[in-house]
Amino acid sequence: QVQLVESGGGSVQAGGSLRLSCAASGYTYGTVCMGWFRQDTGKEREGVAVLNRDGGITYYADSVKGRFTISHDSAKNTLYLQMNSLKLEDTAMYYCAARRSPYGCSPAPLNFPYWGQGTQVTVSS
């Protein structure tokens, strides 16, 4: 069993920054595939950033490349998403997710059996 708890969301002005955190607990051994997803009203849930810790391979959605950075602190068992130069279209509920196997570590929600409750990010102009 794996528990994931997101934090760090909030309201920010366009152009600002936020850092989201995802604290993992429970039996987290082997959860080498972790990622961030988001979903806003009227949109499909999309993979924002994924990290395969078995090799440090990362994926970023084209819309966030150069602005967002995914990272993981093994000692703290915490996944991060640094978000810079935020845009209005970044407004969404952001979810942390994990997968035990490094295989199939791609940004599709069905690949991830473990999910957090989400944290809201609202960007205003």
Side-chain angles (χ1 to χ4, degrees), residues 3-45:
Q3 293 82 46
L4 304 172
V5 180
E6 303 96 332
S7 62
S11 298
V12 65
Q13 188 176 358
S17 299
L18 285 173
R19 188 176 77 160
L20 306 184
S21 299
C22 172
S25 60
Y27 186 64
T28 60
Y29 181 82
T31 55
V32 297
C33 181
M34 303 187 73
W36 291 95
F37 295 76
R38 68 185 182 187
Q39 186 168 22
D40 196 15
T41 304
K43 296 182 179 181
E44 295 292 316
R45 183 171 299 188

Side-chain angles (χ1 to χ4, degrees), residues 45-56:
R45 183 171 299 188
E46 67 170 337
V48 176
V50 173
L51 171 65
N52 187 340
R53 296 194 286 117
D54 182 29

Side-chain angles (χ1 to χ4, degrees), residues 1-2 4 31 33 96-101 108-116:
Q1 179 67 271
V2 176
L4 304 172
T31 55
C33 181
C96 174
R99 175 184 176 87
R100 289 197 186 279
S101 175
L110 58 85
N111 291 332
F112 294 82
Y114 305 109
W115 293 84

Side-chain angles (χ1 to χ4, degrees), residues 60-77:
Y60 294 98
D62 288 341
S63 59
V64 307
K65 285 181 179 178
R67 300 188 297 120
F68 291 10
T69 303
I70 188 171
S71 62
H72 186 265
D73 187 329
S74 296
K76 296 183 178 180
N77 229 347

